Amino acid sequence: MKHFRTAEAGLAVALSLTLAPATTFAAPSQADVSSEDTSITAPSNPSVSEEDREAADAQQAEQDARAARPAPQLPPASTPSAPSTQTPPLVTAQPDGSVGNDKVHILSLAGADCIVVESNGHFGIVDAGDDNDYPDGSDPRYPWRANIATWGQEDQVRPYLDSLGVNSSNLDFFIGTHPHSDHIGWADTLIHRYHPKHIYTPVYDDSYSVSDAVNPLWDNQKVYDDLVTAASWAQGAYGATFNQHVKPGQGDLIQMGDMLVQIIPLSPGEEYAHPGKLANTNLISYTAKITAHGRSAYLSGDLESGEGKEDYVAGVVGHVDWLKAGHHGLSTSNSESFLDALSPSLVMNTGFEFHTPDRLGLPALRGRYEWFEAYSMHNAGIPALIGTFTPGGITHPYMNVGMGHTFASTTPHTYWFRNGKPTPTRGWWKGFYDGWHYFNGSSSAVENGWVLDKGNWYWMDSTSNMAVNTWVQDGDKSYWVDDSGHMLRGGWYRIGGTWYYLTGSGAMATGWLQDNGSWYYMQANGAMGQAWIHDGTGWYWTDPSSGRMDAGGWRNIWGSWYYLSGSGKAAEGWLFDRGAWYYMAPGSAQMRTGWVNDGTGWYLLSGSGAMRSGGWIQDGGNWYWLDGSGMMLTGWIQSGGAWYWLDPVSGHMAVGTATTDGRTSQFASSGRWLGYI
């Protein structure tokens, strides 16, 4: 697996996998770590010694002397390997049966592999982590490619090896599992500095790859060539052996004190070693099973579940006590059947918890094994997971390492692990891909509920994530949480350009609200009403800028007249004010002028809106008769001793001839009836 500096730089800041309570008016702080989760300060980088400089100078001189990269070593394509019998183990140190001196150190490099095994003062190393040397495109043999790793972990690896006392006299072997820089980037420097007596790595060449798109080449060729060149130098400089063709039963066993190391090549037939045959460089790894005192650990390199490799390994390895998860714990490895076959009591993935699929985490959640991951260990200042082989099992010291993990297939989704096991805890934890989570005395994070912390309320959603910058629906109430997750309450808040009122409990106000002597209308969505508001009973006018309800009298609004009662409600229908009747249109509350029909009859309203009444009224060239109530009359009326006919539909006074009562009548120009014709 490859990791890249552009992502790594962000992780150093963005990721924080420690428990901490929330700070006031800010996102929960990781600075205030709870007593259960005390941070351990990581050691500072030691200064560069003169010995280091000399080793580096020697390495550079050796590299400068290379004229060309070694030619790829192709196995014969036509001649199959003959069956062979198991050769005796390579013995680097005789066993003495002592207990307590056989250990495995899985370094917490978080995205790279370096594993040290030791027995009775002798050491072996599987992978070396990445280095700071990478192709910049200046050498045509090693072109620049996107996603080439541009950082390394030598400042972590070298001090740790030195602290163990690894040196040129006690490093018995080095295994470079496969040509990825996160596994063998620092291998050439390691060889020059520590002089391993036996060196193993599979044969490789970029030409073997199907394509760069299918099997990314990154800086594979360079790191491989650097390792091969360093191994060739070691052969001449101090008589090291260099084996690139390990086969089952042939050179695959190393006896180092009480520890037996079995190298398990994932492609023992090297069938990939032909142009265009290699689809996945991870699947050519040299993996290793370590056994001592009847207990074993499997170091899987970048073992993948594809191409039947895990099934093959399961048949060879069988049960182990410890497992270094395949491919840093990613979803392309560690199938359920593989985990079942090996049934380890402890699993460590050398990647990040957020890369880990449920199938690796769930067994740990259910207590099948302890589970550690490198990034959380690194953040806790713990350089390595150290296991000691004993007849009773592989033991390790208690490690105060807290790790949160969010599962996709469980409810609640986020759980807390300590010392490799689900553990009740309290406080905040921030995930990488999601947000903040809160533990309240359980191993599972709170979900679908409120958390009170230091006087602030926080809502944890259905995925146990702390809600931020959103409305929270809890029952029939709505609450707003800000970008710190704090629930707002007790007053006016402008949210998304709209005003809302949140009660003392934080619940969003709806309906009529009185505040400081003024009335406001909060709509069903909580937004403050502005301008015309209909509350289901009638219309109310609220100031467009302040939202305050207006009341008490006539108002000209946007060119129309309205009458607002003392309650603020706009009058509708007939209104009597200061001795005159007005008609306010039902539905709109607008004052009407001219003719209106209120459902009982027609009425004429003046330009001021006042109703006309009491006798003859001329309008638009026609005469009408309005009674004392203002209603327009129709049919026969008598006025001043004369009869008049008012059209039954229009109310117009008849002149000339008109049909009345089924007969033709004659009318004077004044409308007076003259008789039938």
Side-chain angles (χ1 to χ4, degrees):
M1 176 183 173
K2 304 289 290 190
H3 301 290
F4 317 112
R5 182 171 294 280
T6 54
E8 183 88 354
L11 292 174
V13 177
L15 286 181
S16 181
L17 305 180
T18 57
L19 286 173
T23 59
T24 305
F25 298 110
S29 171
Q30 296 173 279
D32 300 328
V33 181
S34 70
S35 60
E36 298 180 63
D37 200 21
T38 304
S39 298
I40 302 173
T41 304
S44 59
N45 294 332
S47 59
V48 180
S49 66
E50 189 62 32
E51 180 185 2
D52 295 335
R53 292 190 180 93
E54 291 176 357
D57 291 343
Q59 179 190 2
Q60 187 61 53
E62 182 276 321
Q63 292 176 344
D64 292 342
R66 291 183 295 172
R69 76 183 191 192
Q73 303 179 45
L74 300 177
S78 58
T79 306
S81 301
S84 62
T85 59
Q86 175 71 58
T87 58
L90 172 69
V91 179
T92 65
Q94 294 291 340
D96 62 10
S98 58
V99 178
N101 299 315
D102 305 286
K103 299 178 181 179
V104 57
H105 307 248
I106 306 176
L107 275 63
S108 55
L109 299 185
D113 276 16
C114 181
I115 302 166
V116 181
V117 294
E118 65 170 307
S119 181
N120 301 330
H122 292 257
F123 297 91
I125 297 176
V126 180
D127 286 331
D130 217 327
D131 64 354
N132 293 323
D133 184 23
Y134 58 92
D136 58 7
S138 60
D139 189 331
R141 298 173 297 174
Y142 312 119
W144 170 259
R145 294 185 174 95
N147 298 325
I148 283 179
T150 58
W151 76 94
Q153 294 103 351
E154 58 235 60
D155 288 340
Q156 293 177 250
V157 175
R158 178 182 50 77
Y160 190 79
L161 298 183
D162 291 346
S163 71
L164 295 179
V166 178
N167 56 50
S168 60
S169 65
N170 60 20
L171 181 56
D172 290 6
F173 67 85
F174 171 76
I175 301 172
T177 59
H178 63 291
H180 282 164
S181 64
D182 56 327
H183 292 259
I184 64 168
W186 199 62
D188 55 336
T189 304
L190 183 149
I191 291 170
H192 279 274
R193 181 178 177 86
Y194 297 105
H195 297 184
K197 298 178 180 61
H198 306 281
I199 303 169
Y200 305 84
T201 201
V203 64
Y204 175 78
D205 190 87
D206 275 352
S207 67
Y208 298 162
S209 180
V210 173
S211 70
D212 194 18
V214 174
N215 183 21
L217 302 177
W218 295 304
D219 47 348
N220 301 354
Q221 191 70 65
K222 183 179 187 305
V223 296
Y224 173 80
D225 288 351
D226 288 348
L227 188 159
V228 171
T229 301
S232 300
W233 168 85
Q235 289 177 295
Y238 60 88
T241 68
F242 184 32
N243 190 347
Q244 292 192 272
H245 304 286
V246 176
K247 311 289 185 188
Q250 298 181 355
D252 61 335
L253 297 178
I254 304 171
Q255 185 73 54
M256 186 179 71
D258 292 298
M259 184 173 285
L260 181 65
V261 179
Q262 179 184 6
I263 302 174
I264 304 173
L266 298 186
S267 292
E270 299 176 8
E271 65 282 354
Y272 66 88
H274 300 276
K277 297 293 186 180
L278 181 59
N280 187 342
T281 306
N282 291 333
L283 295 179
I284 71 172
S285 293
Y286 277 7
T287 67
K289 181 179 181 180
I290 314 298
T291 303
H293 307 291
R295 301 294 178 171
S296 58
Y298 179 57
L299 313 179
S300 62
D302 274 359
L303 172 64
E304 304 268 27
S305 56
E307 300 185 11
K309 298 297 184 182
E310 286 190 342
D311 293 338
Y312 166 72
V313 166
V316 175
V317 174
H319 166 69
V320 296
D321 296 273
W322 277 27
L323 169 66
K324 197 284 299 183
H327 201 181
H328 311 282
L330 293 174
S331 59
T332 56
S333 61
N334 310 294
S335 65
E336 184 177 354
S337 61
F338 178 71
L339 293 173
D340 288 342
L342 271 64
S343 60
S345 59
L346 180 146
V347 175
M348 178 173 174
N349 51 289
T350 53
F352 309 90
E353 63 81 18
F354 52 83
H355 283 161
T356 305
D358 283 5
R359 68 183 182 202
L360 186 58
L362 283 176
L365 182 63
R366 295 162 182 166
R368 286 185 55 186
Y369 50 65
E370 295 177 83
W371 177 34
F372 294 90
E373 54 90 7
Y375 190 78
S376 295
M377 292 177 56
H378 178 71
N379 280 354
I382 299 176
L385 174 65
I386 305 172
T388 301
F389 291 76
T390 73
I394 304 177
T395 63
H396 65 84
Y398 178 87
M399 293 187 295
N400 190 32
V401 178
M403 179 186 77
H405 184 72
T406 299
F407 295 86
S409 57
T410 62
T411 303
H413 295 78
T414 301
Y415 287 79
W416 188 254
F417 294 80
R418 184 173 299 282
N419 197 45
K421 302 175 182 178
T423 305
T425 192
R426 294 182 182 275
W428 293 99
W429 172 73
K430 191 174 191 305
F432 181 73
Y433 289 124
D434 48 14
W436 288 95
H437 305 264
Y438 189 81
F439 297 87
N440 194 24
S442 172
S443 61
S444 60
V446 177
E447 72 169 23
N448 282 326
W450 292 102
V451 167
L452 178 63
D453 182 60
K454 295 185 176 180
N456 288 303
W457 287 96
Y458 304 84
W459 176 259
M460 316 311 292
D461 66 17
S462 61
T463 65
S464 75
N465 274 279
M466 182 187 77
V468 295
N469 277 331
T470 190
W471 287 104
V472 171
Q473 192 70 30
D474 184 19
D476 61 350
K477 304 293 185 182
S478 296
Y479 304 81
W480 178 260
V481 291
D482 64 14
D483 57 3
S484 299
H486 300 163
M487 181 187 75
L488 304 184
R489 51 183 173 164
W492 291 101
Y493 294 91
R494 193 173 180 86
I495 302 170
T498 301
W499 284 101
Y500 299 84
Y501 190 88
L502 305 177
T503 67
S505 69
M508 177 186 74
T510 60
W512 287 107
L513 166 74
Q514 189 176 38
D515 181 59
N516 290 327
S518 296
W519 285 94
Y520 303 83
Y521 188 76
M522 315 310 292
Q523 302 176 79
N525 64 359
M528 182 185 72
Q530 294 169 290
W532 284 110
I533 297 297
H534 199 286
D535 70 347
T537 66
W539 287 100
Y540 297 80
W541 175 253
T542 59
D543 186 271
S545 58
S546 69
R548 294 186 183 92
M549 185 196 75
D550 197 3
W554 290 99
R555 300 288 188 273
N556 189 304
I557 301 171
W558 298 335
S560 296
W561 284 95
Y562 302 84
Y563 188 89
L564 307 178
S565 69
S567 69
K569 187 175 182 179
E572 298 183 52
W574 288 107
L575 166 71
F576 188 75
D577 181 58
R578 289 176 287 187
W581 285 96
Y582 301 84
Y583 191 74
M584 317 307 288
S588 70
Q590 289 181 342
M591 184 193 77
R592 296 289 301 275
T593 60
W595 288 101
V596 297
N597 192 320
D598 70 348
T600 64
W602 286 96
Y603 299 82
L604 181 61
L605 308 173
S606 67
S608 68
M611 183 189 74
R612 306 278 302 269
S613 66
W616 289 108
I617 299 292
Q618 189 178 34
D619 182 63
N622 292 302
W623 285 92
Y624 304 84
W625 180 270
L626 307 179
D627 68 10
S629 71
M631 181 183 290
M632 180 191 78
L633 299 184
T634 60
W636 291 105
I637 66 168
Q638 188 178 33
S639 176
W643 287 95
Y644 299 83
W645 177 257
L646 306 175
D647 186 84
V649 176
S650 67
H652 299 168
M653 180 190 75
V655 294
T657 58
T659 301
T660 62
D661 307 321
R663 302 175 64 182
T664 301
S665 293
Q666 183 71 39
F667 297 91
S669 61
S670 65
R672 181 171 60 86
W673 181 62
L674 300 176
Y676 295 110
I677 299 175

